[in-house]
Amino acid sequence: MRRTTDPPQAARSLADGRLAALPTETVYGLGARADDPHAIARLYAAKGRPADHPLIAHIASTGALDAWAMAVPDYARALAEACWPGPITLVLPRSPRALDAITGGQDSVALRWSSHPAMQEVLDELVRITGDPAIAIAAPSANRFGRVSPTTADHVLTEFADLPDDDVVLDGGPCEVGVESTIIDCTGDHPRLLRPGAIDTADVERITGLPCTTGSTVRASGTLESHYAPTARVRVVTGDEIAKWGAPSDDARTGLLALAEVPTPPGLVRLAAPDDADAYARVLYAALREADALELVTVLAVPPPAAGIGAAVIDRLTRSASTAQ
Ligand code: TXA
Ligand code: MG
């Protein structure tokens, strides 16, 4: 895999059926043309992802919504109008255009319009090359299945060093949000939260005027109990536990991830000290990767408060701490 800073080059790679890792405001995605089953098969193979785990189709306008989805409920349109381009993915009844290859054979499709200007440029160029105004890029997070999502082009290059040089990563700098998009199941009579993100349930309820519930029956792989896992063992702990932390009894190396207000006890390796939940989300995945680079055995993580994006950070920490398969 080769680095580029030129969006049209990434678009040409995609048009030719190659893979292109692309920056979004949430995390980097590993992209393939959503209408190219061969490219999508390569994408699944590169990620090591089971074929029945569906992908998000990235579009570049709300107009493309009706090309990929059918029977779009009013509340889903309200979410698209209010939040796109932005960090929210809408799961909708699929149109015939959505191939089984991206939906995992389900009767719904996940759609997102990202706000990252480089992603927008790639899609605009792909529309120009193909002449298809609703062309989409299927892109899961650019990490091996079950591992930590990438928030920089360097993270992507580390994950996919073995891919051929015709596959590119478009370097658009570090991601602004840092955790994956909020996913809302819009196939029922009201919104259901599948994955928390920067847009929280209170936002969804305010925008739609409807209750946003959890516990959808739709499958989502980011909702597996164990996901986003580094090699180091993650333990979610309270600030009180850290305050009472004694010196480690052996030489096991232990890292600490917590808001800046939590002081570092002696013997712990401070991985990050974000000022608030937004900053916590931004540094979370880089900190987990840093723990592995330092060959730490354990990471103690004190979660931020649950308001806003805090709920998404708690969700990811809990899953990265899970040893369930
Ligand atoms: O922020 C993000 O959403 C990033 C960037 C690259 O856009 N993408 C991302 O993709 O996180 P991925 O594949 O790692 O996670 C997509 C999630 C998975 O949990 C998948 O199961 C779910 O979306 N999903 C996709 N299509 C779905 C569908 N039709 N019904 C339910 N869940 C779906
Ligand atoms: Mg993922």
Side-chain angles (χ1 to χ4, degrees):
M1 174 168 267
R2 202 160 32 95
R3 185 195 310 262
T4 176
T5 53
D6 181 35
Q9 191 190 342
R12 284 193 298 276
S13 277
L14 290 166
D16 290 345
R18 310 296 312 182
L19 303 181
L22 303 166
T24 81
E25 71 278 37
T26 56
V27 301
Y28 275 71
L30 184 62
R33 268 177 82 144
D35 60 352
D36 182 340
H38 297 290
I40 290 167
R42 272 200 69 223
L43 197 165
Y44 274 93
K47 253 191 87 92
R49 181 173 180 139
D52 63 346
H53 286 261
L55 305 173
I56 296 172
H58 293 74
I59 52 179
S61 65
T62 35
L65 191 65
D66 292 293
W68 290 90
M70 294 191 312
V72 178
D74 287 344
Y75 72 81
R77 282 192 201 282
L79 287 171
E81 287 297 330
C83 305
W84 278 354
I88 192 166
T89 297
L90 306 179
V91 173
L92 289 155
R94 72 194 251 193
S95 82
R97 186 177 186 130
L99 303 175
D100 279 343
I102 63 165
T103 66
Q106 302 190 79
D107 48 17
S108 57
V109 62
L111 299 173
R112 171 155 116 83
W113 178 8
S114 160
S115 67
H116 199 292
M119 180 67 156
Q120 182 77 39
E121 254 191 84
V122 172
L123 274 160
D124 290 346
E125 181 64 12
L126 205 53
V127 166
R128 202 188 60 74
I129 295 172
T130 60
D132 176 357
I135 189 94
I137 300 171
S141 52
N143 53 276
R144 308 267 174 187
F145 183 65
R147 309 297 297 192
V148 178
S149 300
T151 52
T152 67
D154 282 342
H155 294 166
V156 178
L157 286 166
T158 317
E159 291 278 326
F160 295 109
D162 55 328
L163 287 186
D165 271 355
D166 292 344
D167 299 325
V168 298
V169 53
L170 177 60
D171 193 339
C175 299
E176 265 176 39
V177 175
V179 295
E180 301 81 353
S181 59
T182 306
I183 305 182
I184 302 292
D185 175 5
C186 300
T187 60
D189 61 3
H190 70 277
R192 291 186 172 86
L193 180 72
L194 291 179
R195 182 175 71 184
I199 294 170
D200 68 8
T201 43
D203 296 327
V204 173
E205 294 186 335
R206 182 176 42 76
I207 293 162
T208 62
L210 293 169
C212 178
T213 57
T214 52
S216 163
T217 53
V218 172
R219 272 179 294 142
S221 80
T223 61
L224 290 178
E225 208 176 320
S226 173
H227 212 75
Y228 318 108
T231 303
R233 181 164 162 261
V234 178
R235 272 185 54 206
V236 180
V237 297
T238 63
D240 278 355
E241 281 175 78
I242 294 300
K244 294 187 198 122
W245 189 254
S249 54
D250 54 26
D251 64 355
R253 309 223 325 141
T254 304
L256 175 65
L257 179 53
L259 289 174
E261 67 200 34
V262 179
T264 315
L268 295 188
V269 179
R270 188 73 185 222
L271 292 166
D275 282 327
D276 55 25
D278 289 323
Y280 204 130
R282 212 172 298 129
V283 299
L284 172 64
Y285 290 141
L288 294 179
R289 282 171 184 274
E290 175 71 3
D292 283 350
L294 295 171
E295 299 183 348
L296 301 186
V297 176
T298 307
V299 175
L300 303 174
V302 183
I309 202 168
V313 174
I314 294 168
D315 172 77
R316 304 310 191 272
L317 282 175
T318 309
R319 291 179 205 286
S320 67
S322 172
T323 50
Q325 286 306 303

